[in-house]
Amino acid sequence: MKILFFHRNKAGFIERDLNLLNGAGSVLPFDAAQMGPKDYLGAISLAFQHRPCLLYTWFAGRHAFFPALLAWFS
């Protein structure tokens, strides 16, 4: 299973979730705190190339809006 994983920074609980999801499939992690507009465009490109089965975002902040919108349309 392919998973897009969006988060802001890497706290211990986020790192644990990332490790658990790695056991379930192939995870493409994105740290939204480090991402600019070009990075989000790259994430869109990856999403359409790899066709992930799951979108996982930590918290419902602005960083989660764009990936959620993308998932809704795919």
Side-chain angles (χ1 to χ4, degrees), residues 34-58:
Q34 306 298 321
M35 292 175 70
K38 283 186 177 181
D39 299 313
Y40 275 101
L41 291 175
I44 290 172
S45 175
L46 282 173
F48 283 111
Q49 287 174 5
H50 296 286
R51 293 298 208 186
C53 299
L54 178 71
L55 168 67
Y56 192 100
T57 62
W58 251 107

Side-chain angles (χ1 to χ4, degrees), residues 1-56:
M1 173 172 30
K2 296 173 186 157
I3 303 166
L4 289 179
F5 184 88
F6 281 83
H7 60 90
R8 289 189 57 81
N9 303 316
K10 270 196 179 172
F13 55 91
I14 293 174
E15 192 69 38
R16 279 192 303 271
D17 283 357
L18 184 57
N19 290 333
L20 286 170
L21 289 171
N22 271 322
S26 173
V27 180
L28 297 169
F30 296 96
D31 186 347
Q34 306 298 321
M35 292 175 70
K38 283 186 177 181
D39 299 313
Y40 275 101
L41 291 175
I44 290 172
S45 175
L46 282 173
F48 283 111
Q49 287 174 5
H50 296 286
R51 293 298 208 186
C53 299
L54 178 71
L55 168 67
Y56 192 100

